[in-house]
Amino acid sequence: MIAATIVALDWGRRDTGWAMVLFCLSAIAWLIGAALMRDWALGSQNVVLLLIDLLGVYRYLIRDPDPEEA
């Protein structure tokens, strides 16, 4: 909920990037839970979400902003 709020408030690239890190941590926690429960549907869903979140981390924290985004 914290990460979603930060993204919704649009405080800037850096804050959005750290919100994406929180989303990654959440997806990893769900992956661990899915593995422990042997819930492969939940696990596969969170693999996809983790990949999307990692793309967000790359976009907002690692990649240099485009000149029109700055």
Side-chain angles (χ1 to χ4, degrees), residues 18-41:
W18 283 108
M20 298 308 292
V21 170
L22 288 175
F23 280 133
C24 286
L25 294 174
S26 174
I28 291 167
W30 278 107
L31 280 169
I32 292 168
L36 291 173
M37 295 184 301
R38 299 191 192 306
D39 186 345
W40 307 123

Side-chain angles (χ1 to χ4, degrees), residues 6-68:
I6 292 170
V7 171
L9 290 173
D10 192 21
W11 285 339
R13 290 180 58 84
R14 186 168 180 248
D15 290 334
T16 300
W18 283 108
M20 298 308 292
V21 170
L22 288 175
F23 280 133
C24 286
L25 294 174
S26 174
I28 291 167
W30 278 107
L31 280 169
I32 292 168
L36 291 173
M37 295 184 301
R38 299 191 192 306
D39 186 345
W40 307 123
L42 179 63
S44 61
Q45 174 185 341
N46 279 282
V47 165
V48 173
L49 290 174
L50 179 60
L51 293 173
I52 294 168
D53 298 336
L54 288 171
L55 178 62
V57 169
Y58 170 75
R59 179 171 185 222
Y60 292 108
L61 287 181
I62 298 171
R63 183 183 72 150
D64 290 331
D66 293 331
E68 57 268 0

